[in-house]
Amino acid sequence: MALITFTDQGLFCEAGQFYIDPWRPVDHAVITHAHSDHARWGSGHYLCHHDTLPILRLRLGTIQAQSVAWGDPVYKNGVKISLHPAGHIIGSSQIRIEYKGEVYVVSGDYKTEPDGISGSFEPVRCHTFLTESTFALPIYQWEPQETMFNKLGQWITRNQQEGKTSVLIAYSLGKAQRILQAITPVTQNIFVHGAIWNTHKTLQDHGIHLPDVQRVTPDIPKEKFKSSVVIAPPGAIESSWMKRFQPFSTAVCSGWMQVRGNFRRNNTDAGFAVSDHADWKGILSAIEATGATKVFVTHGFQSVLSRYLNEKGIEAAEVKTAYGEEETTSLTENPDE
Amino acid sequence: MKAFATLVHLLGNATGTLEKLHALSHYFSTADPKDRVWVIAIFSGRRPKRAISTTQLKQWCIESTDLQEWLFEECYHTVGDLAETIGLLLPPPSSNTENLPLHYYIERLIQLQNEEDKQKKKFIIEVWQELGKDELFVFNKLITGGFRIGVSQKMMVNALAKATALDASLVAHKISGNWDPQTISFDQLLLNDHGNNDDSKPYPFYLAHALDGEPHDLGAPSEWQAEWKWDGIRGQIIKRNGTYYVWSRGEELMTDKFPEYNSFIDSIPDGTVLDGEILPAKDGQPLSFSVLQTRIGRKTITKKQLVEAPIAFFAYDLLEWKGKDIRHIATAERRALLEDLITSIQHLPNIFISPSILFNNWDELISIRENARENHAEGLMLKRKKGPYQVGRKTGDWWKWKIDPLTIDAVMIYAQKGHGRRSNLYTDYTFAVKDGDKLVSFTKAYSGLTDKEFAQVDAFVKKNSIEKFGPVRTVKPELVFEIAFEGIAASSRHKSGVALRFPRINRWRTDKKPDEINTLDDLKQLLAVYGK
């Protein structure tokens, strides 16, 4: 019996009687990170990293949960579970499970470049590695964060010179906090959408050091937004909520912006390929560093990555999961979620 | 090259027409004058002949990046653009070179047309190592063609008008026709009176807007002239100084493609420009567009083709008469002159006047329009009798009033990722009708859904794909769409035995189940009625 099997509820560890990021309610769920496609409502008990828990509570309400630090093992029915930094968003973790000498690692979502707030991705040796593949194509080669943040800063400066508000479109959990590092050197005048505000407050209250931002509320006079930076989730694009910022310029921060066509159908003024997922080379180096002899490839370009690995002599197979909805389809997500 | 890359970047990123216009006119005011001429040429379809094949580009990129061929193909089908795919795959430039002008690269590419493959490869690889990402993309685009960044002829004309302070219709005329971007200067093309006076020069076509709804709002029927809207190629025949030229609306010189026109051209006086339709016709009766298709794209025309697919010219306007531009005079007056001319030569085969349709009131015309398809027409044209012949697409004096398309309900069975702004989205679909308990594919369609609907279908395809054949996914036959099309013809090249004209998605029939779609017999019945 394999240590992890793929069921209709999600990734199941039979020996330990728990699921990892289940997409249906189960008794015991181990959670890689708090994005809604990985952390779903309805399970009896959750296990996650300390920094994930407050967001999990914010999003799922009252839950029974236990949180741990990276590297601190938890045992379930003799199965050793430990969490290790995945570098994707604050609190995001890879899940290592060990039973009778066999080691599996479930990557969750990850990126290999340290972003300053999410912890540095830690390669974990294992026999079997489950990897995401959101950007597993050679066309995805990210430029260093510093380069991208400089470009972002220049764009904001240019908007300020033209008397425009800079509206940055970013996912409310993860990207919205990360890009603050690009904004604060240029301006302290930062506003955020309500969805991002909730996340921001929760993280600050939890003790995560983030710069202060202001929530966009109906009573704020229009002049206050002049030349400021506003961070809003994808659903805000072309919504009436944006009207108060006029004149403004919009930019999307997402790995998908690497390809012109993806950018162009967004109908925004600029796009920055800043991703919280590993690029092609990042994924390959992460896989190599695990030393795994068997790789399961989930959400993204599964067929490409598994074929590539098989041709390189690493046994690989595709696995269908319900992950990956957040970054690909939430461009139409409701801003008031 | 940097200025051009910036221009393309700005045009591609612009969210409004005004922004694009500004970027273009700025370029036309500031860029290297030789580069400006090339940009006009490229954006008006005057790209030099391709020196390097896409297969070569692909091969050299695979060699430079050390990728497997299948992996390259996966990348290409996801990006949906070869030039961009290569730009994304190549490593960042190893050396930083000086910023050479656009015309340097184009002229080198033209020289390469006659050189050995070895020379070609050497040059391309060198450039690939030197250029940054944005410049690399436009360089590759120069080779593969088709910038597709939403620059219409009209927008370019307006930008040039702004940059040169000339009248837009004058600019449109000046940049039309035969000119060689290699030899002409920007001033000769646009500013000098005598720079570009060649005999072949066509006039910019006047294009009609679609009439939405009923014609009653247009005023008195007596103020309007009605004609059939033909389904052929819009063309201008120009006769000047003993030579004639045939231009298509796409500004392609097609003189040699239709030798039939030799039969009447001697009878047309010098200094004449006719606007009309290039149409297949036998004994003055128009034939289906599919007949014309057998002639387009052929370099040499056999006797057999001349017999089987005879091409005529149906004239509907006179733009130049006795060497004078008469576009400013009223449509009714131009029509009278045209009728005189055609009457004097109508004993000759292959040239006809596009008849004006007599009608007393709009309701009568509405019922005449119903017969358009039987006449191999797409509908009617309405032209204001007092109006002049304008430049480009202008509202008011000319209206096209098309009949409703034919429709058929079909199920989607294959999907493929799209190009351009549909990159990495399944937006290109193949549809099938029922034949007993089998499904028979009969058409592809790429347009007609909103971005939101495309996103929904894309998600469906990703969840419900059955098999993968290269870039094509077979999909669970579940989604039903109404397919609209303008015409239908028998075809031995399609499994279904029919070929459709202008197929597109009319709407998503979420109310219908796959077993409620039309059948192959339904298609064949449409063929029997409209396919002649």
Side-chain angles (χ1 to χ4, degrees):
Chain A
M1 189 76 203
L3 196 47
I4 286 182
T5 50
F6 307 105
T7 72
D8 290 346
Q9 278 74 38
L11 312 177
F12 181 48
C13 175
E14 189 170 352
Q17 287 294 306
F18 61 87
Y19 288 81
I20 297 172
D21 292 354
W23 45 88
R24 291 198 187 141
V26 298
D27 290 342
H28 286 273
V30 181
I31 300 298
T32 58
H33 64 290
H35 274 151
S36 56
D37 54 332
H38 290 260
R40 291 176 198 247
W41 175 88
S43 286
H45 184 273
Y46 294 85
L47 173 67
C48 62
H49 184 262
H50 290 319
D51 293 342
T52 298
L53 187 57
I55 302 295
L56 215 56
R57 291 224 149 100
L58 171 72
R59 293 187 157 197
L60 303 182
T62 310
I63 51 167
Q64 274 205 45
Q66 176 192 358
S67 67
V68 290
W70 284 319
D72 285 356
V74 171
Y75 291 88
K76 275 199 160 77
N77 292 348
V79 176
K80 181 182 174 188
I81 306 169
S82 57
L83 274 58
H84 304 266
H88 173 60
I89 60 169
I90 291 172
S92 68
S93 308
Q94 307 175 73
I95 314 290
R96 179 186 185 277
I97 56 176
E98 183 180 346
Y99 185 61
K100 293 184 179 166
E102 199 181 358
V103 179
Y104 271 56
V105 170
V106 176
S107 76
D109 290 339
Y110 65 95
K111 72 170 171 291
T112 45
E113 186 193 23
D115 68 4
I117 60 166
S118 308
S120 294
F121 176 86
E122 175 195 319
V124 183
R125 302 287 294 180
C126 58
H127 302 106
T128 306
F129 185 51
L130 268 89
T131 180
E132 61 132 324
S133 59
T134 310
F135 290 109
L137 261 192
I139 52 168
Y140 298 109
Q141 300 183 52
W142 310 144
E143 291 191 63
Q145 169 163 301
E146 195 192 341
T147 311
M148 294 312 294
F149 280 5
N150 282 338
K151 286 185 186 176
L152 194 52
Q154 285 161 11
W155 178 77
I156 295 168
T157 308
R158 205 160 50 241
N159 289 333
Q160 287 172 334
Q161 286 161 357
E162 291 170 12
K164 287 181 186 166
T165 304
S166 304
V167 181
L168 284 165
I169 305 296
Y171 299 103
S172 49
L173 172 59
K175 201 71 59 69
Q177 293 80 47
R178 179 180 170 196
I179 56 174
L180 287 169
Q181 301 169 84
I183 302 166
T184 43
V186 187
T187 179
Q188 310 300 317
N189 197 11
I190 307 167
F191 289 89
V192 298
H193 183 276
I196 294 169
W197 169 259
N198 293 335
T199 308
H200 195 92
K201 274 309 278 178
T202 305
L203 289 169
Q204 276 187 328
D205 292 348
H206 175 64
I208 305 262
H209 181 73
L210 292 172
D212 283 330
V213 296
Q214 302 167 73
R215 180 182 189 156
V216 176
T217 50
D219 55 297
I220 297 178
K222 218 175 156 289
E223 314 84 69
K224 289 262 184 190
F225 299 120
K226 202 172 168 2
S227 297
S228 71
V229 173
V230 177
I231 310 176
I237 302 179
E238 288 175 355
S239 75
S240 57
W241 181 82
M242 301 272 280
K243 280 194 191 131
R244 66 194 87 194
F245 308 122
Q246 256 153 5
F248 63 84
S249 194
T250 50
V252 172
C253 297
S254 158
W256 299 110
M257 298 302 104
Q258 180 85 338
V259 175
R260 292 173 77 243
N262 276 67
F263 161 67
R264 289 177 61 200
R265 64 173 177 263
N266 273 337
N267 226 3
T268 52
D269 302 303
F272 297 96
V274 175
S275 179
D276 282 328
H277 294 267
D279 64 2
W280 172 250
K281 287 187 175 145
I283 291 171
L284 296 183
S285 67
I287 292 170
E288 203 190 335
T290 63
T293 49
K294 168 107 196 172
V295 176
F296 288 105
V297 185
T298 73
H299 63 299
F301 292 96
Q302 299 108 288
S303 64
V304 173
L305 184 58
S306 57
R307 178 172 172 184
Y308 181 85
L309 294 172
N310 279 314
E311 288 185 5
K312 290 269 163 195
I314 298 170
E315 193 190 340
E318 296 174 50
V319 181
K320 266 202 179 165
T321 60
Y323 312 137
E325 310 268 308
E326 178 128 331
E327 216 171 351
T328 50
T329 59
S330 65
L331 283 179
T332 52
E333 110 191 25
N334 186 342
D336 305 316
E337 60 139 56
Chain B
M1 197 66 158
K2 282 219 170 77
F4 181 58
T6 305
L7 173 68
V8 169
H9 183 80
L10 286 173
L11 291 172
N13 287 15
T15 47
T17 321
L18 215 70
E19 239 177 291
K20 288 187 185 178
L21 189 68
H22 183 77
L24 268 173
S25 67
H26 178 76
Y27 185 87
F28 286 134
S29 316
T30 56
D32 178 322
K34 267 182 120 170
D35 287 359
R36 295 183 217 170
V37 174
W38 274 112
V39 169
I40 301 170
I42 289 162
F43 287 167
S44 64
R46 291 175 175 80
R47 197 169 52 88
K49 210 175 82 205
R50 185 174 286 198
I52 290 133
S53 71
T54 49
T55 321
Q56 284 171 321
L57 286 179
K58 213 183 268 185
Q59 196 49 47
W60 299 338
C61 177
I62 287 170
E63 286 173 28
S64 311
T65 53
D66 211 14
L67 287 179
Q68 294 82 342
E69 192 176 341
W70 69 266
L71 193 51
F72 180 90
E73 292 291 339
E74 289 283 351
C75 291
Y76 169 61
H77 288 296
T78 296
V79 176
D81 183 295
L82 183 66
E84 188 181 358
T85 307
I86 294 173
L88 289 170
L89 288 175
L90 291 170
S94 46
S95 54
N96 239 341
T97 47
E98 52 186 322
N99 179 24
L100 296 165
L102 170 68
H103 67 259
Y104 161 78
Y105 292 98
I106 297 180
E107 280 159 13
R108 280 292 287 130
L109 287 171
I110 292 171
Q111 280 170 18
L112 284 174
Q113 285 170 6
N114 306 315
E115 288 176 28
E116 304 269 319
D117 283 354
K118 226 172 85 186
Q119 299 311 113
K120 292 181 182 178
K121 184 174 172 179
K122 187 169 168 280
F123 175 69
I124 298 294
I125 303 242
E126 268 172 24
V127 175
W128 279 354
Q129 287 168 348
E130 289 164 1
L131 294 182
K133 204 173 114 194
D134 280 355
E135 290 111 84
L136 198 61
F137 168 66
V138 294
F139 172 74
N140 290 339
K141 270 288 178 196
L142 290 176
I143 303 169
T144 60
F147 272 88
R148 285 208 206 182
I149 37 181
V151 176
S152 64
Q153 186 81 359
K154 185 177 177 176
M155 184 185 294
M156 187 164 69
V157 164
N158 287 339
L160 280 167
K162 208 173 147 193
T164 57
L166 291 172
D167 189 54
S169 59
L170 186 66
V171 170
H173 193 201
K174 278 175 181 275
I175 65 166
S176 64
N178 254 342
W179 47 272
D180 183 354
Q182 281 194 78
T183 52
I184 202 165
S185 75
F186 186 75
D187 284 358
Q188 282 169 334
L189 180 63
L190 282 150
L191 303 175
N192 298 357
D193 280 340
H194 305 289
N196 183 24
N197 270 350
D198 81 282
D199 282 341
S200 76
K201 191 173 259 316
Y203 292 101
F205 286 90
Y206 183 14
L207 306 173
H209 270 285
L211 181 68
D212 284 329
E214 302 290 309
H216 298 84
D217 300 340
L218 295 177
S222 59
E223 289 176 16
W224 293 87
Q225 172 186 311
E227 301 159 21
W228 292 118
K229 184 186 184 313
W230 299 114
D231 185 15
I233 298 173
R234 178 91 180 268
Q236 257 178 60
I237 294 184
I238 292 164
K239 172 105 183 263
R240 287 177 189 134
N241 293 326
T243 312
Y244 83 103
Y245 309 87
V246 180
W247 287 97
S248 74
R249 204 198 104 184
E251 287 215 16
E252 190 187 349
L253 198 52
M254 307 183 98
T255 316
D256 300 331
K257 293 205 165 154
F258 309 113
E260 286 96 337
Y261 295 173
N262 279 312
S263 64
F264 60 77
I265 208 75
D266 284 346
S267 307
I268 291 180
D270 273 333
T272 304
V273 176
L274 296 168
D275 181 12
E277 199 86 358
I278 298 164
L279 262 190
K282 223 165 206 153
D283 307 322
Q285 292 304 310
L287 303 170
S288 151
F289 185 82
S290 58
V291 178
L292 180 55
Q293 271 175 323
T294 64
R295 290 279 299 272
I296 305 170
R298 298 215 183 245
K299 287 228 168 70
T300 52
I301 294 133
T302 62
K303 270 205 177 118
K304 188 163 164 258
Q305 282 167 341
L306 286 174
V307 174
E308 283 177 359
I311 304 295
F313 190 77
F314 282 67
Y316 38 68
D317 216 321
L318 186 63
L319 310 185
E320 182 175 309
W321 181 236
K322 295 186 172 161
K324 286 218 170 62
D325 177 357
I326 59 164
R327 290 176 295 161
H328 59 282
I329 72 170
T331 293
E333 289 174 58
R334 297 197 313 276
R335 177 84 192 181
L337 290 171
L338 177 72
E339 282 177 4
D340 285 348
L341 168 66
I342 305 290
T343 312
S344 71
I345 58 167
Q346 71 174 1
H347 56 284
L348 296 168
N350 307 327
I351 185 158
F352 307 95
I353 193 154
S354 179
S356 56
I357 295 165
L358 295 175
F359 66 105
N360 296 308
N361 55 61
W362 292 123
D363 290 334
E364 197 182 337
L365 195 62
I366 288 170
S367 58
I368 291 172
R369 173 171 161 268
E370 297 301 316
N371 302 322
R373 200 165 267 127
E374 285 79 354
N375 285 284
H376 289 296
E378 298 178 305
L380 293 172
M381 287 295 302
L382 294 172
K383 298 175 180 175
R384 193 190 296 277
K385 287 179 183 170
K386 280 188 182 158
Y389 188 94
Q390 304 196 53
V391 171
R393 205 176 293 282
K394 295 267 161 60
T395 310
D397 290 343
W398 277 26
W399 297 96
K400 55 182 174 189
W401 189 23
K402 288 213 209 175
I403 38 170
D404 294 335
L406 299 167
T407 60
I408 202 135
D409 290 334
V411 69
M412 178 181 59
I413 54 169
Y414 308 130
Q416 193 172 347
K417 285 176 179 174
H419 298 265
R421 62 191 293 280
R422 292 155 168 203
S423 153
N424 203 14
L425 271 188
Y426 285 98
T427 58
D428 300 359
Y429 313 127
T430 302
F431 298 93
V433 285
K434 269 195 305 189
D435 183 24
D437 51 6
K438 280 185 309 204
L439 290 172
V440 180
S441 69
F442 70 105
T443 191
K444 286 184 178 185
Y446 306 91
S447 63
L449 293 183
T450 62
D451 283 358
K452 204 174 166 190
E453 286 170 325
F454 272 129
Q456 287 169 335
V457 179
D458 173 71
F460 173 86
V461 171
K462 281 170 183 158
K463 283 200 181 106
N464 293 280
S465 65
I466 303 164
E467 273 182 290
K468 194 177 169 207
F469 297 102
V472 179
R473 300 277 170 125
T474 60
V475 183
K476 204 161 136 197
E478 205 171 289
L479 303 188
V480 177
F481 296 88
E482 182 179 88
I483 306 298
F485 50 99
E486 297 302 321
I488 183 166
S491 162
S492 53
R493 282 169 45 201
H494 295 77
K495 220 197 277 177
S496 59
V498 298
L500 306 186
R501 176 117 172 96
F502 287 141
R504 70 265 183 191
I505 302 167
N506 218 27
R507 59 193 166 128
W508 187 352
R509 295 297 306 258
T510 45
D511 57 324
K512 282 207 168 184
K513 294 198 179 71
D515 58 349
E516 294 173 87
I517 59 173
N518 284 103
T519 62
L520 188 59
D521 281 343
D522 297 337
L523 265 183
K524 285 183 174 157
Q525 266 180 26
L526 287 176
L527 180 67
V529 178
Y530 301 112
K532 295 278 144 50

